[in-house]
């Protein structure tokens, strides 16, 4: 029997990312777990949701560029740190070694195995958060996390954030092929009923 829990968000865990932006002329970073895929066609759009009080928001609004960096499990300490200290009080520009791609106002983190440069596409204001939609201009990945030229999540070993336990988690093993494993059930349903 299921128990009613109220209107809570049960979508956790979610990927943990580090968002980078230039704020007041300096690179700044914030850890965000409220990220989403808007579509998988061009333009490739993703969303990040930041509380309105965050320091990074002003830089994204002003420069219309930001980065989304995917840290591995090895970066759990640094990832948590840039999420618990505010750029209003702490200079986070020297926490990571940085590089830049096509967008000069989207600082990228060298230690993160996967980094995306985003151009601000749209902004939605909610009562508590700014929802930024970014167009992915370029994605950078370490060769060591690629399998046949594609990002391999098992090699990235990304951090997952769970609000229920307030912990970072790791991923497990693959359990089946997308658009494939369901064919087992489809094959059964496609069979005509026998007399």
């Amino acid at each position: 029997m299921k128990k009613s829990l109220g209107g809570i968000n049960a979508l956790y865990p979610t990927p943990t990312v580090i968002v980078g932006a230039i704020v007041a002329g300096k690179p700044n970073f914030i850890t965000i777990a409220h990220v989403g895929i808007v579509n998988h066609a061009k333009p490739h759009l993703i969303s990040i949701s930041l509380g309105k009080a965050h320091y990074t928001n002003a830089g994204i609004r002003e420069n219309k560029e930001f980065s989304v960096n995917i840290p591995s499990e090895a970066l759990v300490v640094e990832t948590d740190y840039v999420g618990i200290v505010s750029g209003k009080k702490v200079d986070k520009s020297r926490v990571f070694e940085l590089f830049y791609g096509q967008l000069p106002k989207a600082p990228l983190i060298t230690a993160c195995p996967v980094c995306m440069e985003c151009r601000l596409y749209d902004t939605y204001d909610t009562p508590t958060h700014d929802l930024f939609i970014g167009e992915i201009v370029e994605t950078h990945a370490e060769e060591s996390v690629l399998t046949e030229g594609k990002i391999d999540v098992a090699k990235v070993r990304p951090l997952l954030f769970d609000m229920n336990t307030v912990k970072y988690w790791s991923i497990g093993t693959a359990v089946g092929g997308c658009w494939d494993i369901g064919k087992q059930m489809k094959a059964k349903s496609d069979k005509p009923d026998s007399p």
Side-chain angles (χ1 to χ4, degrees), residues 17-95:
V17 301
I18 303 171
V19 173
I22 301 296
V23 186
K26 284 186 174 179
N28 186 68
F29 298 94
I30 183 170
T31 304
I32 296 294
H34 296 159
V35 297
I37 298 167
V38 176
N39 66 0
H40 62 275
K42 289 188 177 180
H44 298 286
L45 303 176
I46 59 174
S47 66
I48 57 171
S49 181
L50 285 72
K52 287 191 175 291
H54 288 303
Y55 184 67
T56 305
N57 301 31
I60 294 173
R61 286 182 184 278
E62 178 184 347
N63 298 303
K64 301 190 178 352
E65 295 176 2
F66 59 94
S67 66
V68 175
N69 304 273
I70 302 175
S72 67
E73 294 170 13
L75 290 173
V76 66
V77 173
E78 296 88 341
T79 300
D80 196 55
Y81 173 74
V82 297
I84 62 176
V85 298
S86 173
K88 293 174 188 171
K89 298 176 180 177
V90 175
D91 180 359
K92 295 189 263 185
S93 66
R94 298 183 194 275
V95 174

Side-chain angles (χ1 to χ4, degrees), residues 107-186:
L108 300 157
I109 300 171
T110 303
C112 287
V114 180
C115 307
M116 294 176 278
E117 301 177 64
C118 298
R119 182 177 293 117
L120 186 61
Y121 183 86
D122 208 345
T123 304
Y124 293 93
D125 291 319
T126 74
T128 59
H129 286 67
D130 291 326
L131 179 67
F132 296 110
I133 307 295
E135 177 185 355
I136 303 169
V137 173
E138 186 62 69
T139 299
H140 306 270
E142 290 291 335
E143 287 187 36
S144 62
V145 301
L146 301 178
T147 298
E148 297 179 5
K150 295 182 180 178
I151 296 168
D152 185 330
V153 69
K155 292 178 180 178
V156 173
R157 299 178 58 92
L159 291 170
L160 304 178
F161 171 79
D162 178 44
M163 182 65 85
N164 299 311
T165 60
V166 194
K167 295 202 182 306
Y168 296 108
W169 291 80
S170 60
I171 61 166
T173 57
V175 295
C178 301
W179 302 293
D180 183 55
I181 196 165
K183 291 176 183 174
Q184 298 170 19
M185 190 170 196
K186 185 178 182 306

